[in-house]
Amino acid sequence: MCRWRPVETLRSRAPGAPRTWRTRGSPVRGAGTPPPGSTGALLTPESRPWGTQQVTRQGLLSGSKAKDELSNLLSPLPASEAPGDTCEQWGTAALDTGPAHDPEGSSGGQGGDPSDEDWRSQRKHVFVLSEAGKPIYSRYGSVEALSATMGVMTALVSFVQSAGDAIRAIYAEDHKLVFLQQGPLLLVAVSRTSQSAAQLREELLAVHAQIVSTLTRASVARIFAHKQNYDLRRLLAGSERTLDRLLDSVERDPGALLLGAVRCVPLARPLREALGTLLRRCTTPGLALSVLAVGGQLITAAQERNVLAECRLDPADLQLLLDWVGAPAFAAGEAWAPVCLPRFNPDGFFYAYVARLDSMPVCLLLLGTQREAFHAMAACRRLVEDGMRALGALPALGDAARSSSTHAPGALAYSVQAVGAPGLRHFLYKPLDIPDQHRQLPQFTSPELEAPYSKEEERQRLSDLYQRLHARLHSSSRPLRLIYHVAQKETLLAWVTSKFELYTCLSPLVTKAGAILVVTKLLRWVRKEEDRLFIRYPPKYSTPPAPSTDHAPHNGLFTGL
């Protein structure tokens, strides 16, 4: 029998004010509030673990300044400051805890009996059930076979709630059990990966957002208010594979979820700006947002002031749209479907027009507020296609799409060799020095995964390492600014400043001085290529700006609150 560590609880909060719900055909006008950013004090020298140092100056450094800065930061700590248990959390056992699952496997591919070894060998399980214990979704196995297991989860939650608390996490040996209550839905993650409880909670929020994007929060609440034991699978039929793809993408490429940003297609700035201008010209009544994407990555976007003038589209909502249009159902032709953006307004629908342009992987997404606007949106699509042919943009975007499709799913079409830094294997880079933080869309970039990360097991191991670095940097109790770690197969360096957030994977033969040179070259290369890697100056509104009393500039992709 396993021994249970104390349960992490959070005192229940008073219920919020009731919200009015909208019908399926109601246009979306409300604005969501982005979650507040987390803050924390830096560690004192006495509390820093071995191999870490505090950054005393912030900013994007170049040349000898970056080299001198990192040289000072990476100097070893005195022996008195090095706790003896630091290396335990980087043990290989925690990073290689089980076989990788088959990405093509569906939630019904296994029996789901908890006594089945194949089911128990999975590194992570995700369950969705109702407050009444009615099964809704399981990442592996059949939900019918897991009814008893989900009943135990419901009993645990009810028992803690009866004492006025809310269960958040349970730690049992090498397993973490994370609970998330969202209205009448209960989401549970059971994991023995390197993810922290906070990262698992973010993953559960993404799963809940996927469900809400199909049904809206108001509809789910109304259904269970009418009948507590309703089987929600009736309305989510066919959405299981979408949830499977979401969880698979987190395993293979965690950058978007970890960094809270979207990935942009590397594209020459003149072409990107020309495409943004084209989207602004091709409008129709009721159009709220126009997005060009390829391979699940953003090319450019434009918004309508009349609809989104005082709202900010959260990157999680945009990433949801990019994943949504990447589904096989939208692989050809055009489609018209309602979609909810949970962070923008969880209680209403947009109407989405999705089409592949000129029989290519390039996808056009048009969001509108009018139910009967399909033909008007189709006319916009024809205008966009004609404009892209005139610009000669389709061949360039087609090449980018074909290059992206030959590599790992979600990978960008450039190699780490383009940086020109020997010893650099991979990196994640998120700029923070954006022109207007409240109006610019958070973005990140990373190269394609190459050898020695060509196999699925090695990619998963690298993802685990990035998740560990991120959890240490953003720890709520002891946040860090810089981590330098030498492992058996690679050397890792993570660095957060006011200008950027950077995670690098280097060769294990790279010395500390060599790591400083590699990071210096990488920062120089990113600064040189930033206009191609990111949308630095997003397009303006599609319609003329309305008179403003504050005379503030409105040059953002999505205007901030």
Side-chain angles (χ1 to χ4, degrees):
M1 179 179 297
C2 65
R3 292 181 299 174
W4 297 84
R5 289 171 56 187
V7 178
E8 177 188 354
T9 60
L10 178 69
R11 287 290 175 184
S12 57
R13 295 171 292 181
R19 298 171 180 262
T20 58
W21 56 270
R22 298 170 184 267
T23 60
R24 185 179 178 88
S26 301
V28 182
R29 298 287 182 175
T33 303
S38 60
T39 59
L42 291 176
L43 294 179
T44 60
E46 292 75 13
S47 61
R48 295 182 209 132
W50 176 85
T52 61
Q53 288 283 347
Q54 174 180 333
V55 172
T56 56
R57 278 190 298 139
Q58 299 176 342
L60 181 59
L61 307 176
S62 60
S64 60
K65 293 178 64 178
K67 180 178 178 181
D68 296 340
E69 175 93 3
L70 280 177
S71 298
N72 295 329
L73 295 174
L74 297 181
S75 58
L77 287 173
S80 61
E81 296 183 14
D85 61 344
T86 303
C87 295
E88 181 180 350
Q89 63 188 346
W90 290 93
T92 56
L95 297 179
D96 188 14
T97 55
H101 64 267
D102 181 9
E104 299 301 326
S106 64
S107 57
Q110 302 180 42
D113 187 350
S115 63
D116 183 74
E117 286 300 323
D118 290 338
W119 186 85
R120 293 168 64 91
S121 66
Q122 300 299 332
R123 289 164 30 104
K124 180 169 57 181
H125 291 270
V126 174
F127 307 98
V128 183
L129 57 154
S130 66
E131 282 184 314
K134 197 76 172 179
I136 297 174
Y137 170 79
S138 172
R139 177 63 186 93
Y140 299 105
S142 170
V143 292
E144 289 84 358
L146 294 170
S147 298
T149 303
M150 294 190 181
V152 173
M153 298 176 187
T154 306
L156 283 172
V157 173
S158 300
F159 177 77
V160 176
Q161 285 180 344
S162 64
D165 286 349
I167 187 170
R168 298 189 64 186
I170 299 175
Y171 301 88
E173 296 182 351
D174 61 340
H175 284 75
K176 300 184 191 75
L177 289 79
V178 177
F179 297 79
L180 178 67
Q181 183 86 38
Q182 293 288 298
L185 300 183
L186 175 64
L187 298 92
V188 183
V190 181
S191 170
R192 52 192 177 94
T193 67
S194 61
Q195 288 177 278
S196 65
Q199 291 169 345
L200 290 170
R201 196 167 290 113
E202 286 296 321
E203 191 170 342
L204 292 178
L205 283 172
V207 172
H208 179 259
Q210 187 68 56
I211 296 174
V212 171
S213 71
T214 304
L215 302 176
T216 75
R217 182 184 61 183
S219 297
V220 173
R222 184 174 69 253
I223 289 170
F224 285 103
H226 178 70
K227 187 177 182 181
Q228 287 189 345
N229 62 344
Y230 183 82
D231 189 354
L232 200 63
R233 289 176 294 169
R234 301 176 186 175
L235 300 180
L236 292 175
S239 299
E240 295 86 355
R241 290 191 176 274
T242 303
L243 294 172
D244 291 346
R245 285 195 304 271
L246 169 65
L247 296 173
D248 285 339
S249 66
V250 174
E251 288 286 326
R252 292 192 306 261
D253 184 20
L257 189 63
L258 282 181
L259 300 177
V262 297
R263 198 194 306 256
C264 293
V265 176
L267 201 63
R269 179 178 173 181
L271 179 57
R272 199 190 302 271
E273 290 181 346
L275 293 173
T277 301
L278 176 63
L279 290 183
R280 295 200 304 271
R281 291 203 309 262
C282 301
T283 62
T284 187
L287 179 63
L289 181 70
S290 305
V291 177
L292 271 178
V294 59
Q297 305 166 47
L298 180 66
I299 298 174
T300 189
Q303 72 176 70
E304 274 283 352
R305 166 177 284 279
N306 290 345
V307 180
L308 299 175
E310 300 301 330
C311 304
R312 177 181 183 269
L313 189 62
D314 192 275
D317 283 340
L318 185 54
Q319 187 63 48
L320 186 148
L321 290 174
L322 294 176
D323 294 338
W324 184 60
V325 299
F330 301 113
E334 53 190 356
W336 178 253
V339 60
C340 172
L341 302 183
R343 300 292 183 92
F344 177 79
N345 184 348
D347 299 328
F349 275 111
F350 278 115
Y351 293 93
Y353 174 86
V354 184
R356 303 289 175 177
L357 299 184
D358 201 23
S359 302
M360 298 182 66
V362 181
C363 178
L364 175 66
L365 170 66
L366 303 175
L367 289 184
T369 58
Q370 297 182 7
R371 184 200 298 260
E372 307 298 333
F374 172 82
H375 296 290
M377 298 292 188
C380 274
R381 186 259 301 172
R382 290 189 289 270
L383 292 176
V384 171
E385 278 186 328
D386 294 341
M388 293 180 68
R389 291 192 191 98
L391 292 172
L394 286 174
L397 295 177
D399 292 342
R402 284 188 292 271
S403 179
S404 178
S405 64
T406 59
H407 303 296
L412 288 180
Y414 71 89
S415 170
V416 71
Q417 303 301 325
V419 179
L424 180 63
R425 291 181 173 180
H426 193 262
F427 66 89
L428 299 175
Y429 179 91
K430 176 184 177 181
L432 302 178
D433 59 332
I434 51 182
D436 189 338
Q437 190 170 1
H438 299 288
R439 300 164 193 253
Q440 175 67 290
L441 181 68
Q443 305 159 56
F444 81 102
T445 186
S446 66
E448 58 180 305
L449 284 167
E450 300 173 327
Y453 304 106
S454 301
K455 296 182 179 180
E456 185 68 26
E457 294 81 4
E458 291 299 312
R459 291 176 180 174
Q460 192 172 77
R461 190 175 62 82
L462 180 61
S463 296
D464 289 345
L465 290 170
Y466 281 150
Q467 288 165 348
R468 273 188 180 276
L469 291 171
H470 182 273
R472 291 299 312 280
L473 287 178
H474 299 277
S475 171
S476 58
S477 59
R478 301 199 313 173
L480 304 175
R481 289 298 181 93
L482 180 69
I483 298 176
Y484 177 78
H485 173 70
V486 179
Q488 182 178 3
K489 295 184 177 181
E490 53 268 303
T491 297
L492 302 165
L493 190 147
W495 192 9
V496 178
T497 74
S498 62
K499 300 295 184 181
F500 59 83
E501 184 170 352
L502 174 65
Y503 302 83
T504 57
C505 177
L506 311 172
S507 167
L509 301 179
V510 173
T511 64
K512 187 177 295 186
I516 295 173
L517 292 175
V518 168
V519 172
T520 301
K521 289 183 178 180
L522 175 59
L523 295 178
R524 287 174 178 171
W525 181 82
V526 170
R527 178 62 69 185
K528 177 183 176 183
E529 300 290 332
E530 62 182 1
D531 286 340
R532 187 176 68 91
L533 299 175
F534 308 109
I535 305 177
R536 299 293 295 174
Y537 302 96
K540 298 180 181 180
Y541 293 107
S542 300
T543 53
S548 176
T549 57
D550 56 3
H551 302 288
H554 298 285
N555 62 343
L557 178 59
F558 307 113
T559 299
L561 293 174

